[in-house]
């Protein structure tokens, strides 16, 4: 198979979908690798490092897209890349289609097989290709939140951990999953007072045990959320429903009750966001806006700000799946790998993930049904 890696074009996105080591692994398995020149520079991987592993260097993105049978990316394709779509192309990347109906339609219309990192799901419900970026984003949420709490940026002018005789900041985290627990770990380490709102009693017991009772937990319901939001100096949205739009848990009326100069960091913005007042996506170059006296941080590619760490963490988990797709082809790979099968969002001109189909209001057909039809066509 020919695997292509174009340079990411999303604003301030410096990650790359394949490291030189990954290129070498694909070459060793008998595949061809085509890297757009400069694709890895943001993560400090130069063209010559890829070439040394046997990858070919392409001068333009159009060359990569045209020649590749499988495209590996980090972020979802932008409208200027839709023209590269063609029938039979395999796209392996973060897609977040629930918040991207136009991208979904383009993939379906051009019959692109879209395999989304974020919906590959293990039998226990874990999301192995989303986990490392959730870890990065959770830890970053506290870093950026503490920065924008500084008066210079328009924040409340408070130190997250306080000092002796001065209380610490109140950090409220919506969701006790990977993002939430990583955010809590950093906030607690900086000396903040931390509350996690979570709807799973078992998860709250886990958090209480892991953090030895140093983090308060509350059942996530509208009343508790409203009370907690009002007290927050830093509010972190960390809720994810695989494949679906993030639910709006914090209303505009709740935001109006927040302290002047408080900060909201919504990690779920790439899935639509959990805060009603997150009405736009921001970038690393212009990350915040003010509404109702509260600073809103709504960057959809937070890990892109630490690309070296993020690229290494991401490719550690994507490479086994990339090799399986390249070695076996899509159909045979997903027949043998149920978690990978759940990653397929579009195939044969149809939406194959139920939550995505519901979110974008398009017909759904299961991947199992489509695979049966493909097998029947081959037999006939």
């Amino acid at each position: 198979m020919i695997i292509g890696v174009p340079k990411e074009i999303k604003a301030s996105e410096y990650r790359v979908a394949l490291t030189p080591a990954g290129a070498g692994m694909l070459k060793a398995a008998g595949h061809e690798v085509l890297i757009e020149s400069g694709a890895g520079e943001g993560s400090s991987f130069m063209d010559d490092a890829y070439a040394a592993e046997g990858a070919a260097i392409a001068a333009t993105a159009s060359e990569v897209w045209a020649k590749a049978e499988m495209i590996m990316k980090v972020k979802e394709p932008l409208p200027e890349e839709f023209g590269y779509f063609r029938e039979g192309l395999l796209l392996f990347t973060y897609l977040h289609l629930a918040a991207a109906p136009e991208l979904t339609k383009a993939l379906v219309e051009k019959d692109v097989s879209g395999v989304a990192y974020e919906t590959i799901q293990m039998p226990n419900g874990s999301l192995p290709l989303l986990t490392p970026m959730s870890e990065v984003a959770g830890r970053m949420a506290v870093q950026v939140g503490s920065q924008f709490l500084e008066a210079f940026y328009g924040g409340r002018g408070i130190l997250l951990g306080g000092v002796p005789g001065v209380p610490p900041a109140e950090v409220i985290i919506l969701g006790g999953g990977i993002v939430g627990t990583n955010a809590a770990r950093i906030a607690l380490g900086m000396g903040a007072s931390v509350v996690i709102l979570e709807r799973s009693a078992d998860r709250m017991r886990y958090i209480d045990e892991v953090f030895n009772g140093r983090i308060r937990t509350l059942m996530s319901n509208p009343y508790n959320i409203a009370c907690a939001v009002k007290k927050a100096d830093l509010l972190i949205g960390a809720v994810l429903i695989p494949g679906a739009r993030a639910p709006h848990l914090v209303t505009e009326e709740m935001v109006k009750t927040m302290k002047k100069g408080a900060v909201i960091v919504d990690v779920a913005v790439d899935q639509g966001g959990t805060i009603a007042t997150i009405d736009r996506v921001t970038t690393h170059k212009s990350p915040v806006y003010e509404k109702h006296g509260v600073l809103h941080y709504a960057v959809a590619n937070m890990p892109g700000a630490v690309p070296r760490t993020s690229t290494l963490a991401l490719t550690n988990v994507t490479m086994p799946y990339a090799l399986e797709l390249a070695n076996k082809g899509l159909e045979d790979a997903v027949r043998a790998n149920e978690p990978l099968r759940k990653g397929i969002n579009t195939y044969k001109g149809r939406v194959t993930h139920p939550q995505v189909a519901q979110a974008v209001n398009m017909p759904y057909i299961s991947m199992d049904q489509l695979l049966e039809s493909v097998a029947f066509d081959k037999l006939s």
Side-chain angles (χ1 to χ4, degrees):
M1 185 179 284
I2 303 172
I3 296 97
V5 181
K7 187 174 183 178
E8 299 295 323
I9 63 171
K10 194 178 186 77
S12 303
E13 180 54 71
Y14 304 107
R15 288 172 290 179
V16 64
L18 192 66
T19 63
M25 291 170 67
L26 288 166
K27 283 290 293 183
H31 306 292
E32 297 300 317
V33 180
L34 187 61
I35 308 285
E36 182 183 354
S37 181
E41 286 183 4
S43 297
S44 301
F45 295 119
M46 301 298 112
D47 289 352
D48 58 358
Y50 289 102
E53 294 295 332
I57 308 299
T60 64
S62 59
E63 182 183 352
V64 174
W65 283 90
K67 291 182 178 180
E69 297 166 273
M70 177 168 74
I71 290 287
M72 291 184 66
K73 281 178 51 59
V74 177
K75 294 302 292 180
E76 72 284 350
L78 298 183
E80 49 265 53
E81 295 172 301
F82 293 0
Y84 297 132
F85 293 172
R86 66 181 190 275
E87 182 179 352
L89 180 67
L90 173 56
L91 176 63
F92 189 37
T93 186
Y94 287 119
L95 285 173
H96 298 296
L97 293 183
E102 294 306 314
L103 172 58
T104 309
K105 290 174 184 175
L107 292 170
V108 167
E109 287 173 1
K110 293 296 181 71
D111 194 7
V112 175
S113 298
V115 184
Y117 294 163
E118 73 275 7
T119 62
I120 292 175
Q121 190 170 19
M122 304 303 288
N124 65 1
S126 64
L127 305 168
L129 274 62
L130 191 62
T131 294
M133 295 303 92
S134 295
E135 291 168 338
V136 172
R139 296 178 187 209
M140 280 190 66
V142 178
Q143 286 185 197
V144 299
S146 64
Q147 176 184 350
F148 287 105
L149 278 171
E150 296 174 13
F152 176 80
Y153 298 100
R156 283 176 49 74
I158 59 176
L159 185 65
L160 211 62
V163 292
V166 180
E170 290 284 344
V171 177
I172 307 298
I173 302 170
L174 302 176
I178 300 297
V179 171
T181 52
N182 276 273
R185 181 173 289 110
I186 300 303
L188 190 66
M190 294 178 73
S193 173
V194 183
V195 175
I196 292 180
L197 289 104
E198 169 59 48
R199 65 180 183 177
S200 166
D202 286 341
R203 187 66 182 179
M204 285 190 283
R205 293 187 185 99
Y206 169 81
I207 291 167
D208 186 70
E209 181 178 349
V210 166
F211 291 102
N212 295 315
R214 293 178 297 160
I215 287 176
R216 290 168 288 159
T217 55
L218 286 174
M219 178 59 68
S220 181
N221 58 50
Y223 178 82
N224 283 342
I225 291 172
C227 292
V229 165
K230 189 175 182 179
K231 298 176 182 178
D233 295 302
L234 172 59
L235 174 64
I236 297 173
V239 175
L240 172 75
I241 300 175
R245 286 186 66 91
H248 273 174
L249 300 180
V250 177
T251 67
E252 186 165 4
E253 291 305 310
M254 291 180 190
V255 174
K256 288 179 180 178
T257 70
M258 293 180 71
K259 306 167 186 174
K260 180 177 174 58
V263 175
I264 294 173
V265 177
D266 197 346
V267 180
V269 67
D270 53 5
Q271 288 287 92
T274 60
I275 317 295
T277 46
I278 296 287
D279 55 11
R280 73 199 77 165
V281 174
T282 61
T283 67
H284 289 293
K285 290 182 179 179
S286 181
V288 297
Y289 63 89
E290 181 271 331
K291 193 167 187 177
H292 304 309
V294 177
L295 293 180
H296 292 61
Y297 181 99
V299 176
N301 61 328
M302 290 176 65
V306 286
R308 180 78 178 189
T309 295
S310 297
T311 290
L312 290 168
L314 178 61
T315 56
N316 283 344
V317 293
T318 58
M319 275 308 302
Y321 294 96
L323 279 165
E324 192 160 1
L325 287 166
N327 290 341
K328 298 179 179 179
L330 178 66
E331 288 84 4
D332 288 344
V334 301
R335 284 193 179 97
N337 189 323
E338 184 177 353
L340 182 58
R341 186 158 67 248
K342 290 184 176 181
I344 301 180
N345 286 197
T346 62
Y347 176 72
K348 296 291 182 183
R350 305 295 292 272
V351 177
T352 55
H353 194 286
Q355 281 74 33
V356 169
Q358 182 179 19
V360 300
N361 195 28
M362 292 177 69
Y364 161 73
I365 184 168
S366 75
M367 192 63 196
D368 289 340
Q369 288 177 274
L370 288 173
L371 287 173
E372 285 178 10
S373 69
V374 170
F376 178 80
D377 289 344
K378 287 181 178 178
L379 286 172
S380 60

